[in-house]
Amino acid sequence: MAVKYVPEPFRIKMVETIHMLSREEREEAIRKAHYNLFGLKGEDCYIDLLTDSGTNAMSAAQWGGIMQGDEAYAGASSYYRLVEAGKDIFGFEYIQPVHQGRAAEKVLFPLLLGPGKFAISNMFFDTTRAHVELAGARAIDCVVEEAKNPSKRAPFKGNMDVEKLESLIRERGAENIGLVVMTVTNNSAGGQPVSLENMRQVAAVCKKYGIPLDIDAARFAENAYFVKRDEEACRDMSIKEIIREMFACADLFTMSAKKDGIVNMGGLIGVKDGDSPLILKIRANCISFEGFYTYGGLAGRDLEAIAIGLYEAIEEDYLAYRIGQMEYLASRLDDAGIAYQSPVGGHGVFVDAAAMFPQIPYYEFPGQVLAVELYKEAGIRACDIGSYMLGNDPDTGKQLHADFEFTRLAIPRRVYTQAHLDIIAEALIAVRDRAAEIGHGYRITWEPPVLRHFQAHLEPITD
């Protein structure tokens, strides 16, 4: 039985018209896109769940702030407002704006990583892994074992396996570990949260071996909500107090503000120690890659919108609604017997495509199969979080086998209603009912060397 839908804690003041193409038009559109969902036109997608990054609906306060954005090239008042918001919420002494999360990684990671170095994470997402490799280093995932069983309901499946972390540091040599990254929430593991206790344990290991600890903070507010709800010692803490305690464990953070900043563009780098020698190097890279350090590739109006959005993201009524949407959709899948990474995470529902298509091997990309079928079924655009996204081993060139074969339904913030979620559930049920008829997946006919899933061409395997 579906859980009760949490009413939106806002009124809708502006709408955007969307249209559903016919089945025949959808099949032609995905064929022309080479069966790559990133190749579709946005206007050809009825419900767009490709990502929750930059696809959010901004508030009246944010739009009002945009009109007040200070567009001075250096030292704009909007920059200082964003810096003060970042310092207040995260407790870090240095806040550097950049144009999005991968820009934060491009600026920071080469300062800490290089050939022969390793970065360890509870789980790297695609662009973060790519920037580790572009810096010449290698990425190692170290998520807890419970996360690898989607049907197992356990709290904090995004946690780092602390024992394995320390074992990896000893095996590789602490001097060769350039960075430890804690992704909160853990996107690749299904939007699963990280506990405050786990963060403290990881911080203790990093301090013991002298390794910098970075938080990938894209969904920091959603993670804090889970901590307050499910971690006994934190239930009487405010969301902001939990965030401050979580970030007190880290030395650095990199953030795509396009998620829990509830904006369409922007990112941040944070440095806890305002006297860190890294700051001048971060500024130098920012000036080279992004623009002057007081705007970091963003217009003043964007800086203003982020400063407001960071505070809106930590409102408990908003977070209850936000997580409530995921729980409502997940409960519809529970009723239908459709497997997903459970319990549901913070920004989307990660459907277990391997369970839906047991006849399709990982190298034929079951997560991509389900994403294509959802589009053909109801104009829903989702994406693969599995072996297709993981790509090839950077040293051998061989296809890697992901721990999961998920199709991610990433829900944009403050955009879709209960009726849209019901359409998503009904489309998944329809695909599930004919899943056994789909005998093969896809092969790649062309791929770029880095982050292939954004551009690769695929074709159905028919033989």
Side-chain angles (χ1 to χ4, degrees):
M1 181 178 179
V3 302
K4 180 176 172 58
Y5 186 84
V6 177
E8 286 80 1
F10 52 81
R11 287 189 291 266
I12 296 169
K13 297 181 71 173
M14 186 175 74
V15 298
E16 176 186 0
T17 301
I18 55 177
H19 297 285
M20 173 86 81
L21 299 181
S22 69
R23 174 82 185 212
E24 292 75 18
E25 289 171 328
R26 296 195 299 273
E27 290 181 348
E28 178 64 11
I30 194 64
R31 185 191 66 78
K32 285 184 176 179
H34 302 284
Y35 299 94
N36 186 330
L37 283 299
F38 287 92
L40 291 169
K41 293 180 180 179
E43 64 191 33
D44 291 343
C45 303
Y46 180 61
I47 300 175
D48 199 344
L49 310 181
L50 187 68
T51 179
D52 63 313
S53 179
T55 56
N56 311 295
M58 291 200 298
S59 68
Q62 287 175 295
W63 283 110
I66 279 178
M67 299 304 294
Q68 300 179 65
D70 181 355
E71 303 303 338
Y73 182 92
S77 58
S78 298
Y79 162 74
Y80 290 107
R81 272 191 281 277
L82 174 56
V83 166
E84 288 308 308
K87 288 181 175 180
D88 179 42
I89 292 170
F90 302 111
F92 276 37
E93 293 180 2
Y94 183 75
I95 302 293
Q96 174 64 62
V98 289
H99 85 272
Q100 64 182 75
R102 70 193 65 173
E105 295 158 2
K106 177 181 174 64
V107 166
L108 179 65
F109 283 11
L111 303 177
L112 299 166
L113 299 170
K117 294 283 188 177
F118 298 89
I120 304 173
S121 178
N122 55 336
M123 206 157 217
F124 286 102
F125 196 57
D126 56 354
T127 52
T128 316
R129 183 184 301 276
H131 278 291
V132 170
E133 294 175 357
L134 286 168
R138 292 293 176 260
I140 305 174
D141 290 332
C142 194
V143 72
V144 290
E145 286 300 313
E146 304 95 278
K148 299 176 184 179
N149 182 354
S151 64
K152 181 177 182 178
R153 291 183 180 268
F156 302 111
K157 289 171 78 172
N159 279 351
M160 182 84 80
D161 184 329
V162 179
E163 185 177 331
K164 183 179 177 182
L165 169 66
E166 188 156 15
S167 175
L168 283 167
I169 293 170
R170 289 173 176 166
E171 175 188 329
R172 306 283 181 171
E175 69 280 6
N176 296 318
I177 310 300
L179 191 63
V180 170
V181 179
M182 286 290 275
T183 311
V184 298
T185 56
N186 190 330
N187 189 359
S188 291
Q192 295 295 306
V194 172
S195 71
L196 179 55
E197 177 60 25
N198 186 250
M199 181 66 77
R200 287 171 173 159
Q201 291 172 354
V202 170
V205 172
C206 290
K207 185 175 181 180
K208 176 180 176 181
Y209 292 98
I211 300 169
L213 176 57
D214 172 56
I215 295 178
D216 181 342
R219 299 174 180 89
F220 73 98
E222 293 166 7
N223 197 90
Y225 180 85
F226 284 113
V227 169
K228 180 176 176 64
R229 191 190 70 181
D230 298 333
E231 197 164 354
E232 183 67 36
C234 301
R235 288 182 182 170
D236 294 329
M237 297 169 66
S238 70
I239 295 294
K240 186 176 175 183
E241 287 170 338
I242 291 167
I243 292 165
R244 291 291 291 259
E245 287 291 319
M246 183 78 76
F247 280 71
C249 298
D251 304 295
L252 307 155
F253 75 79
T254 45
M255 178 183 178
S256 168
K258 296 166 67 177
K259 286 81 169 176
D260 274 353
I262 325 183
V263 291
N264 307 124
M265 186 56 66
L268 298 173
I269 300 170
V271 183
K272 184 195 290 182
D273 179 5
D275 295 322
S276 170
L278 267 179
I279 291 172
L280 289 179
K281 296 177 181 179
I282 287 169
R283 284 182 170 181
N285 273 0
C286 188
I287 291 169
S288 297
F289 302 144
E290 292 288 285
F292 192 60
Y293 68 85
T294 63
Y295 75 90
L298 293 169
R301 54 184 171 267
D302 295 316
L303 301 174
E304 201 79 45
I306 298 168
I308 296 167
L310 290 173
Y311 282 107
E312 293 182 351
I314 64 175
E315 294 173 0
E316 291 195 28
D317 285 348
Y318 158 74
L319 286 168
Y321 146 78
R322 171 70 177 157
I323 306 304
Q325 277 199 315
M326 311 307 145
E327 292 176 335
Y328 174 80
L329 178 55
S331 73
R332 289 288 316 266
L333 303 193
D334 286 335
D335 290 347
I338 294 174
Y340 60 91
Q341 177 66 293
S342 60
V344 72
H347 67 283
V349 178
F350 288 59
V351 182
D352 188 348
M356 187 174 290
F357 301 106
Q359 71 276 23
I360 297 177
Y362 74 92
Y363 49 83
E364 293 183 12
F365 316 128
Q368 186 71 4
V369 171
L370 179 53
V372 171
E373 291 303 314
L374 274 175
Y375 180 73
K376 291 193 291 187
E377 181 67 34
I380 297 165
R381 176 158 66 169
C383 77
D384 169 282
I385 305 288
S387 297
Y388 172 57
M389 185 191 77
L390 186 59
N392 301 319
D393 186 292
D395 298 312
T396 67
K398 292 184 178 180
Q399 171 65 54
L400 294 168
H401 188 179
D403 289 325
F404 319 102
E405 301 295 341
F406 290 142
T407 301
R408 184 183 70 175
L409 312 174
I411 311 297
R413 293 160 185 80
R414 305 190 293 207
V415 171
Y416 292 117
T417 66
Q418 180 179 358
H420 292 111
L421 300 187
D422 286 335
I423 290 170
I424 296 164
E426 289 156 11
L428 277 165
I429 292 167
V431 173
R432 187 275 316 273
D433 288 347
R434 55 181 173 80
E437 301 169 12
I438 301 171
H440 292 286
Y442 291 87
R443 66 166 63 94
I444 295 174
T445 60
W446 173 83
E447 61 183 299
V450 179
L451 293 169
R452 72 178 184 192
H453 61 289
F454 287 118
Q455 300 184 76
H457 296 178
L458 303 99
E459 66 181 11
I461 295 171
T462 57
D463 53 307

